[in-house]
Amino acid sequence: MQIHIVQDAEAGGVVAADAVQRVLEEQRATGPVLGLATGSSPLPAYAELIRRHREEGLSFAAARAFLLDEYVGLPDEHEQSYHRFIREQLISAIDMPDENVASPDGTASDPHAEAAAYDRRIAEAGGVDLQILGIGSNGHIAFNEPGSSLGSRTRVVGLTRSTIADNSRYFASREDVPVQALSQGLGTILEARRIVLVASGENKAAAVAQLVEGGISSRWPATVLQMHPEVLVVVDEAAASRLELHEDYRHERALEEGELASRRR
Ligand code: F6R
């Protein structure tokens, strides 16, 4: 796991956008497959990708994308559906064809069958080359709440009270927040070839400390990422504030950047 501590969320967005750009360039011939998170954490990265598309010609035309999750019961056009969110925040502003963006269907008549079909669709696309993740204040990734099996697959999940409270800021009231979601499982997420997790703000500090330095446990589902060989954790100062080895991560990062700079010379 690589830890990159940045000044603020915007700087984190640039680091995450660099990782996405690298995959787009490396996989251009085969068609890159991106895993996209919704929520507020990836927005600076998406803003930076949109800027690069507009100003530098970064193209997503050959790319496909899979979302992590969707609320059960919300139709695509609902203003809080993740289907709509990703189009408003990213897809409508870049050149990725709309039909290349997949998400679980929250209104499927058989959500369990839809969950299994979603895992198959990801596999048929050749798997995810780069997965962008946020993290919940309780350590969830996608909607894998505490207690989720570390090997779980895409499935119907219940949202915890803390997630409903966190997400109620997007809805008229807490009662309007759906109580279930279709979510990629932890096992599904681990199959992505590379992962970039972005977090900012003090309310993520406890979850980030567990993610990086805690024991692997379904109590903090994100800790399963410690098992993945290619994870980059991009955190701002506030989200990094409870990391015990904060200074060591900074030091390692400085060494890596120094080495990269000397190789470029
Ligand atoms: C979103 C998702 C969630 C969020 C997490 C953090 O697709 O799967 O796990 O990444 O709830 O949300 P924000 O970024 O809004 O703090």
Side-chain angles (χ1 to χ4, degrees):
M1 192 174 263
Q2 283 185 292
I3 320 299
H4 195 149
I5 301 170
V6 292
Q7 196 63 36
D8 52 29
E10 281 59 46
V14 172
V15 174
D18 285 346
V20 173
Q21 179 161 0
R22 212 169 306 126
V23 164
L24 289 174
E25 287 168 358
E26 282 172 13
Q27 307 290 130
R28 183 144 294 147
T30 48
V33 181
L34 300 176
L36 299 176
T38 53
S40 56
S41 305
L43 293 181
Y46 296 162
E48 174 62 12
L49 289 169
I50 292 169
R51 188 198 66 74
R52 291 182 194 190
H53 169 66
R54 289 190 177 143
E55 296 175 16
E56 297 167 13
L58 179 65
S59 176
F60 298 77
R64 301 185 57 175
F66 287 89
L67 297 203
L68 283 170
D69 39 24
E70 183 59 277
Y71 289 114
V72 167
L74 294 196
D76 288 352
E77 61 282 6
H78 189 284
E79 59 178 12
Q80 293 306 333
S81 79
Y82 287 162
H83 177 278
R84 180 159 164 184
F85 179 99
I86 203 67
R87 284 165 175 78
E88 286 180 354
Q89 299 299 331
L90 180 65
I91 307 301
S92 61
I94 58 175
D95 60 347
M96 191 186 302
D98 189 79
E99 62 275 17
N100 285 10
V101 185
S103 51
D105 178 0
T107 61
S109 57
D110 182 347
H112 301 282
E114 169 65 9
Y118 195 64
D119 269 356
R120 283 198 299 276
R121 283 160 81 189
I122 296 173
E124 281 160 16
V128 169
D129 292 308
L130 177 74
Q131 177 67 56
I132 303 283
L133 291 177
I135 185 171
S137 59
N138 65 358
H140 73 221
I141 50 175
F143 276 126
N144 294 284
E145 300 283 23
S148 295
S149 156
L150 301 183
S152 50
R153 311 299 307 174
T154 301
R155 67 202 186 290
V156 179
V157 293
L159 273 49
T160 60
R161 283 171 302 168
S162 76
T163 298
I164 291 173
D166 282 353
N167 291 5
S168 62
R169 66 191 193 276
Y170 299 116
F171 291 82
S173 75
R174 193 181 275 222
E175 287 63 47
D176 292 323
V177 185
V179 293
Q180 284 188 317
L182 275 158
S183 175
Q184 283 193 32
L186 295 170
T188 316
I189 292 169
L190 283 182
E191 285 169 4
R193 284 181 272 282
R194 289 183 207 167
I195 295 177
V196 176
L197 183 146
V198 283
S200 58
E202 169 65 30
N203 68 326
K204 301 294 174 72
V208 167
Q210 291 294 331
L211 157 70
V212 178
E213 296 173 340
I216 297 174
S217 158
S218 64
R219 170 65 186 83
W220 294 93
T223 56
V224 77
L225 298 178
Q226 293 175 23
M227 301 292 292
H228 192 285
E230 290 259 5
V231 178
L232 173 63
V233 175
V234 186
V235 281
D236 73 352
E237 295 285 354
S241 60
R242 293 213 208 169
L243 287 171
E244 219 173 283
L245 304 181
H246 188 279
E247 285 314 311
D248 290 352
Y249 306 133
R250 279 191 179 290
H251 180 67
E252 276 169 39
R253 191 75 220 166
L255 285 180
E256 271 166 40
E257 278 169 8
E259 198 176 307
L260 280 178
S262 71
R263 264 193 253 147
R264 276 197 292 267
R265 252 181 250 129

